[in-house]
Structure formats: structure tokens, C-alpha cells
Amino acid sequence: MLTLPLSLTSLSLPQIFPILQNPKVGNFSLETSKSNFKYLARTERGIEFETGNAFFRHESATGRDLGVLAASLYKQSNGTLRVLDAMCGCGIRSCRYLIEAKADFVLANDANDEQRRVVLGNLKKVERGFGDERRWAVSHFDANRILTECYLQRDFFDLIDIDSFGSDSMFLRSAMNALRLGGLLYLTSTDGYSSGGHRPFCSLAAYGAYVRPLPYSNEIGLRMLIGGAVREASILGYHVIPLFSYYSYHGPVFRVLVQVNRGKPREIRHYGFIAYCNNCGITRTFSWNELGRMNCSCKNLEESSPLSISGPLWTGPLHSTNCIKQMWSLAEQWGWIGNGAGLDLEKLLGRMLEESDPRLPPGYIKMDEMSSRAKMNSPSIGAMMSALHKEGYAATRSHISTNAIKTDCPMPMCIRIAKELQGALNVNHAN
Ligand SMILES: C[S@@+](CC[C@H](N)C(=O)[O-])C[C@H]1O[C@@H](n2cnc3c(N)ncnc32)[C@H](O)[C@@H]1O
């Protein structure tokens, strides 16, 4: 067997790549708390995890639960779960994969070895809780290096977690190579600049997408991330299916979980261009072959080139309905939601479920954009959604923007409906 050049770790190869058949883990949930910027996680059994100098946003805790739920579902349906936490920080997520998702093995890696004591300390507590020493290993390599070494050793993982600062596109290829086919790639980016559209050459360099400013730029950030994975997978002869996508204002953080499968995508209908007409506010998607004919049919064009075109990026559903439903029922089973518990998570999963409606096109309509175009006060979101439903349109709230509606109703129609609502309101007041 080849030996890794372990310059930064004292672990030998068998310690790094153990395979455990029957790990014994308890069944308990993790609750988190934060005090004085020191983040502690405490299990029901009283195991407390240290965060060292890592900074955890309490507000992002809900989003962090998503990966654990999906990992556990993978384990339940595949019977195995080997995780490579490529940028583990203080290792708390590795611990959660072991404890909550019942991973068979987690390799916790981080290029920075200054946190080694904290990572080891945290993982040792998991070990102490379950009396099993060989379910994890810690290493300190550059993520691309450890991923490439794993691939060269044919040591594949079921879930690879890339939780980088900024863009994670440079790790996509090595991660896909080290992933078991059908495995899960959990990608996190904090690159809010590229999705904002003000640096199109950054998004081009990172994700191969030329992104322009759009009213729903945070959703574009998720679509850019998935699109980058689609492109990279395609190069390697694979295709990806997005299972969930999550944006959090705190960071900002863009997270997507994709499943990577063998075979090039059979169709490219969900990889293309998004065009937003600044004149009428209509969003359309275009495929490669329609690119030359892109235009907006809106009347009274005031600007010479009103279309903002971004892409190529993912234009399909942001979540798999089936996956979100399963995550929901698992969260319920674990007592994370339901009976007044985990309201934030429940609300998030509920919104994601609604957003997974395949009728919904990319983007969302912000209520303030609509009211400023209509030159009127905005109706309430609830009233607007009921009116859209009555007219047969799909309409849901967006988990990304609180004051926005995702709908297949074009902006001019939304304005007409909002004006009718306003008219009805005025008549009622007059009476
Ligand atoms: C956002 S933090 C990870 C947080 C962690 N996943 C958690 O949930 O606690 C990003 C981490 O990536 C590490 N890192 C940055 N560049 C890296 C690289 N090229 N290879 C491996 N680790 C890297 C940093 O040291 C940092 O700990």
C-alpha cells in the first residue's frame, strides 16, 4: 500500500483509512448554544465540544443541521457513510456526522494544524462517548491534496464536505474524483461578490458563468454554485442532481448538496442563461441554441439594451422535493421540529419544500420592486399569494428573501393583480 507523505500529521496510513463495519453509536440529538462568542455544542449525554478560535454564527445553526439530516438519510438508504470533512475547522461538523448521522468513518482534515488540539479533543469526546477509537482520523493537508491522495488510493467517500471561505470551485474536480458514484458533495461558498454580478470576471473564473447584477442575486449565487458542479461533473463524465440549496444572509453563506452520478447529463435543459429585462421586470431562461435570439417582447422599450443576461448556470429546481420531504420526516422523528421545537428549521424546510415546485422559474419577485414599478403601495405578501393562486399561478415564499414571492406569474401580470387588489381594498374602504 502507498504511504501518504504525512508531513503535518503523526498518523499512519492505516489510521487515516480505517474501515469499520459495525460502529456502535447512540441515538441522540445535538443541541447548540452560544455564550460570549464561545460556541459550545452539548449532546443529551452532556458531551461538550470546544470551538477553539473558530467563529460560529448562532444564526447559521439551522443551516448546519441540513447537512447532518441529509447525511443520515444517505446512511439509512445505502447502509454506509464514509465522510471526508475536507475543511473541518474545529471538527464540530465531523463530530456531528459521527454522532447524529452515524457515519462509519470521518476523515477530519484542515490545512491549518493550529486547531489540531481542539479537533482531536472534540473527536476524542465522541470516542469516549462510544468507546470506539477507529471511526475517525485527523489530517492537515491542503484539501486538494488529501482529495487527490484519496482518489489515487482508490479510497472513495460517500460524502465530501467542502466548507471553504470564498469560492470552492478549485476543489470541485478533486472532490468529484474522490467521491463514490452516487455520493454526496456538500459545497459551501461565502463568495457574495461573484453572485452580486459586479465582478463578472470573478464569477467567470470561478464558475464559468458570466453573472450580471440581478434583483435576486442571492439565488443566482446558489445557481452559480450548482452550475459550476454541473460543468465540472460533465467534464469528468458525470452528472449532478441538486438535493437542496440554502442561502443564509449571515456570512453570506451559499450551501448546496448535490448527488454525483455516473454518465453525462442526458439533457441540458437546466443549464443555460437567465435573462432579466430591466424594462419590464420579466425573467426568462434561455438555452445555448437560443442565445442569439434572446430578446424581450415587452413593449415601449425605454433602454437600448434592457436585457441583463447571466450564465451559463443552473436554471432547474433548487431542491429535490423527495429529499426535502425525507429530511422533514427525519427532523420530526428526531424531535428537531414539531410540537413547537425547531421553528426556524421547520420554517426553512417548509419553504424549501414549496420552492421545489418544478413549475417555478428561477428568481423571485421582490414586493418592493413590484410596488415601485406599479407606483403604488405593496399589498401584503399573503394577499398577493392568494390572488396568484386564485389565478392558477404557482406562488410561494422564498427562503432567501423574506419580502419576495417565487412565482411563474410574470412581473406585468403581478402588477395587474396587485393593482386589482389595491382597487378592491379602496372600494371596501369607501364603503
Ligand atoms: C469555514 S471554515 C470551516 C468550518 C468547519 N467546516 C465547521 O463547520 O466548523 C474553513 C476552514 O477551511 C480551512 N482551509 C482553508 N483553505 C484550505 C485548504 N486549501 N485546504 C484545507 N483547509 C483549508 C481553514 O483553515 C478553515 O478552518
Side-chain angles (χ1 to χ4, degrees):
M1 199 185 268
L2 291 170
T3 309
L4 278 170
L6 301 173
S7 53
L8 289 171
T9 170
S10 57
L11 290 171
S12 64
L13 192 65
Q15 281 174 297
I16 288 213
F17 301 111
I19 299 171
L20 289 153
Q21 300 303 327
N22 295 309
K24 285 187 197 142
V25 288
N27 181 12
F28 61 83
S29 63
L30 195 86
E31 59 184 56
T32 55
S33 65
K34 185 189 117 183
S35 58
N36 299 331
F37 296 107
K38 182 170 178 179
Y39 179 98
L40 298 170
R42 190 181 296 113
T43 68
E44 285 171 11
R45 295 189 184 191
I47 302 171
E48 218 171 60
F49 298 104
E50 216 190 300
T51 59
N53 54 19
F55 179 70
F56 278 79
R57 277 193 177 81
H58 186 56
E59 299 85 352
S60 310
T62 308
R64 286 192 291 265
D65 290 339
L66 299 175
V68 178
L69 288 170
S72 174
L73 288 170
Y74 181 96
K75 163 90 189 204
Q76 286 174 26
S77 55
N78 294 277
T80 166
L81 180 62
R82 300 186 77 239
V83 180
L84 202 170
D85 190 359
M87 299 183 180
C88 72
C90 67
I92 195 159
R93 204 181 288 187
S94 298
C95 293
R96 294 192 65 182
Y97 285 133
L98 284 164
I99 297 166
E100 294 170 304
K102 301 189 171 105
D104 302 288
F105 173 69
V106 173
L107 172 51
N109 177 75
D110 198 287
N112 181 0
D113 61 356
E114 283 169 20
Q115 287 270 67
R116 183 174 177 77
R117 182 197 62 76
V118 176
V119 181
L120 285 172
N122 284 336
L123 284 162
K124 276 179 184 160
K125 283 179 187 170
V126 177
E127 170 198 314
R128 207 161 54 224
F130 302 109
D132 194 335
E133 286 184 32
R134 291 174 53 84
R135 292 175 52 234
W136 54 265
V138 179
S139 61
H140 298 287
F141 293 108
D142 173 79
N144 265 330
R145 183 168 174 189
I146 191 84
L147 289 162
T148 304
E149 293 286 359
C150 290
Y151 166 62
L152 293 175
Q153 310 258 356
R154 320 303 288 168
D155 188 21
F156 300 111
F157 286 80
D158 299 290
L159 189 160
I160 296 179
D161 187 326
I162 313 270
D163 186 8
S164 59
F165 295 127
S167 156
D168 52 9
S169 55
M170 73 189 79
F171 307 105
L172 281 176
R173 189 167 304 185
S174 55
M176 283 192 192
N177 276 327
L179 196 66
R180 191 167 281 166
L181 283 172
L184 308 179
L185 193 53
Y186 195 21
L187 302 170
T188 304
S189 157
T190 57
D191 180 5
Y193 290 115
S194 294
S195 56
H198 297 289
R199 302 183 185 181
F201 289 102
C202 292
S203 60
L204 193 63
Y207 301 100
Y210 192 89
V211 169
R212 305 289 314 284
L214 292 169
Y216 37 82
S217 63
N218 294 327
E219 188 181 303
I220 292 294
L222 295 172
R223 295 186 175 282
M224 203 172 62
L225 209 54
I226 303 171
V230 169
R231 189 181 63 136
E232 206 62 53
S234 193
I235 292 167
L236 296 171
Y238 306 144
H239 66 276
V240 304
I241 300 169
L243 297 183
F244 70 75
S245 314
Y246 169 68
Y247 165 81
S248 168
Y249 164 80
H250 303 284
V253 179
F254 302 85
R255 294 190 201 282
V256 300
L257 182 78
V258 297
Q259 184 165 36
V260 182
N261 292 304
R262 190 192 294 277
K264 282 192 185 291
R266 279 181 292 275
E267 35 149 25
I268 53 162
R269 98 189 137 97
H270 290 322
Y271 185 62
F273 297 83
I274 292 176
Y276 171 77
C277 176
N278 294 296
N279 190 54
C280 69
I282 287 183
T283 291
R284 285 198 175 79
T285 56
F286 290 82
S287 61
W288 294 100
N289 49 3
E290 295 165 309
L291 194 55
R293 285 180 275 126
M294 267 193 210
N295 210 338
C296 189
S297 56
C298 72
K299 308 277 186 312
N300 308 322
L301 289 186
E302 284 160 14
E303 298 173 46
S304 54
S305 54
L307 285 186
S308 283
I309 297 167
S310 295
L313 27 76
W314 178 254
T315 58
L318 290 174
H319 325 280
S320 141
T321 309
N322 195 26
C323 178
I324 304 289
K325 277 186 181 161
Q326 289 183 33
M327 285 164 73
W328 178 288
S329 59
L330 184 62
E332 226 168 18
Q333 199 184 309
W334 284 358
W336 285 9
I337 61 171
N339 297 326
L343 287 178
D344 287 349
L345 183 60
E346 189 167 324
K347 191 164 117 188
L348 177 63
L349 287 172
R351 292 236 166 125
M352 286 174 154
L353 196 57
E354 288 170 5
E355 285 175 337
S356 69
D357 184 338
R359 290 174 299 168
L360 293 169
Y364 42 76
I365 291 182
K366 285 187 177 164
M367 296 300 279
D368 47 7
E369 185 195 347
M370 188 187 71
S371 59
S372 106
R373 283 179 180 277
K375 300 190 174 51
M376 58 179 268
N377 287 334
S378 164
S380 75
I381 282 209
M384 190 67 199
M385 290 217 333
S386 328
L388 286 166
H389 289 153
K390 258 188 218 149
E391 297 224 3
Y393 290 107
T396 72
R397 305 285 292 257
S398 157
H399 87 270
I400 297 173
S401 175
T402 46
N403 196 31
I405 295 180
K406 277 186 81 64
T407 178
D408 55 352
C409 178
M411 178 68 91
M413 295 294 173
C414 284
I415 291 175
R416 196 251 309 149
I417 292 171
K419 282 187 170 162
E420 282 170 12
L421 277 173
Q422 193 77 339
L425 204 67
N426 291 341
V427 170
N428 284 344
H429 279 165
N431 291 339

